[in-house]
Amino acid sequence: ILKFGKSCNLQNLDQVEEAYNVMIEVPRKANNLMHLEMFEDPPDDKLVHQDSLSVINGSAWIQGQGKQRQVFLFKHCLVLAKHEMEGKKLKSYSTKNVIDLANASVLVEEETCRFSVSNNSTKFCFCADSQSKKAEWARFVKQGIEYCSKDKDRGSLGSNNSNEENKKGINQKIRSSLRFHKRRKSLTKISLKEDDIIKESEQSDWAQPYITSNR
């Protein structure tokens, strides 16, 4: 209907498109929530998107050298998590690397399923299993970087003290994930309520799929 509806001038096509988007979004949010519950040390931030991707730490992709990671995109950072296995069964996810989105950039390879994310100190190459998944990830990460940039600009309009507090708040979210990882604490149960799935964002439409991680 959506594919041919516009050319046929069908009525109420906007409502059909809205219903389709809701139908797609609900199971995606539920899947995100399921994987978040398995995360040992999530940052105190809001989850936007997650999936399993092949990852290399560096600027060049080397065939066969990529490691499978569960990649979690939060509001202010991108977290690369290791699959912790118990025999052949997936037990949990633990943090391996964290990329601060405030100073990050993304580069998309047109003819492959790869894209890369880098900041001032590191660069990671990612490989999705399809062009559509690559495009989806690139879009989410770009929107996250733009959101952090606007968030930073808003903070700069206030007083120096407010600006410093804003920066400390963002950096604390990143450090919290690294601190949990270094301590390697045992799995902590995550309490998640139904209203943790945020339907609307106060700042940007791209934040609608956020899920809050509460400890």
Side-chain angles (χ1 to χ4, degrees):
I1 296 176
L2 292 176
K3 186 176 181 180
F4 301 104
K6 291 183 179 180
S7 60
C8 298
N9 295 321
L10 291 180
Q11 295 182 353
N12 301 323
L13 191 61
D14 291 342
Q15 296 179 11
V16 175
E17 185 173 6
E18 182 179 354
Y20 174 79
N21 291 334
V22 171
M23 182 182 68
I24 296 298
E25 190 65 22
V26 169
R28 192 181 74 82
K29 288 182 179 180
N31 185 55
N32 286 351
L33 182 60
M34 179 185 69
H35 286 279
L36 184 61
E37 288 178 335
M38 300 177 68
F39 201 166
E40 290 184 359
D41 47 4
D44 185 18
D45 208 349
K46 296 177 181 180
L47 179 64
V48 178
H49 189 53
Q50 64 75 36
D51 208 341
S52 181
L53 299 171
S54 187
V55 182
I56 280 183
N57 185 351
S59 59
W61 185 265
I62 304 175
Q63 191 66 30
Q65 296 296 313
K67 294 183 178 180
Q68 204 68 20
R69 296 287 186 239
Q70 199 71 19
V71 183
F72 292 85
L73 175 62
F74 290 92
K75 185 177 179 180
H76 295 95
C77 62
L78 189 65
V79 180
L80 282 57
K82 180 181 178 181
H83 298 77
E84 300 291 349
M85 307 300 292
E86 193 172 68
K88 295 183 178 180
K89 183 180 179 181
L90 178 62
K91 178 184 178 182
S92 60
Y93 302 117
S94 62
T95 299
K96 294 297 293 183
N97 305 96
V98 179
I99 303 175
D100 184 358
L101 294 180
N103 299 306
S105 61
V106 59
L107 177 64
V108 182
E109 296 185 14
E110 296 296 333
E111 298 181 357
T112 71
C113 295
R114 299 192 292 266
F115 66 97
S116 60
V117 180
S118 60
N119 58 18
N120 296 333
S121 59
T122 188
K123 181 175 182 178
F124 287 91
C125 293
F126 301 85
C127 185
D129 55 18
S130 68
Q131 288 276 1
S132 60
K133 183 179 288 188
K134 176 198 71 174
E136 181 181 47
W137 266 104
R139 175 169 55 85
F140 275 124
V141 174
K142 287 179 180 178
Q143 290 172 337
I145 293 172
E146 291 174 1
Y147 180 88
C148 288
S149 178
K150 292 178 181 178
D151 200 29
K152 185 177 180 180
D153 291 341
R154 283 193 297 269
S156 66
L157 296 177
S159 65
N160 292 332
N161 290 335
S162 297
N163 191 36
E164 287 301 320
E165 291 176 359
N166 182 56
K167 290 181 180 178
K168 289 179 180 179
I170 294 175
N171 290 335
Q172 183 60 36
K173 296 174 185 296
I174 309 302
R175 287 196 297 270
S176 66
S177 182
L178 293 173
R179 185 169 62 251
F180 279 118
H181 172 52
K182 291 178 180 178
R183 290 177 181 175
R184 293 186 177 276
K185 289 184 176 180
S186 59
L187 178 64
T188 302
K189 293 184 179 180
I190 301 173
S191 175
L192 294 167
K193 299 179 181 180
E194 292 181 359
D195 61 353
D196 288 333
I197 299 179
I198 307 302
K199 294 182 179 180
E200 294 182 356
S201 167
E202 296 179 356
Q203 305 296 341
S204 173
D205 291 341
W206 87 286
Q208 288 185 4
Y210 280 167
I211 298 173
T212 303
S213 171
N214 297 326
R215 301 198 65 82

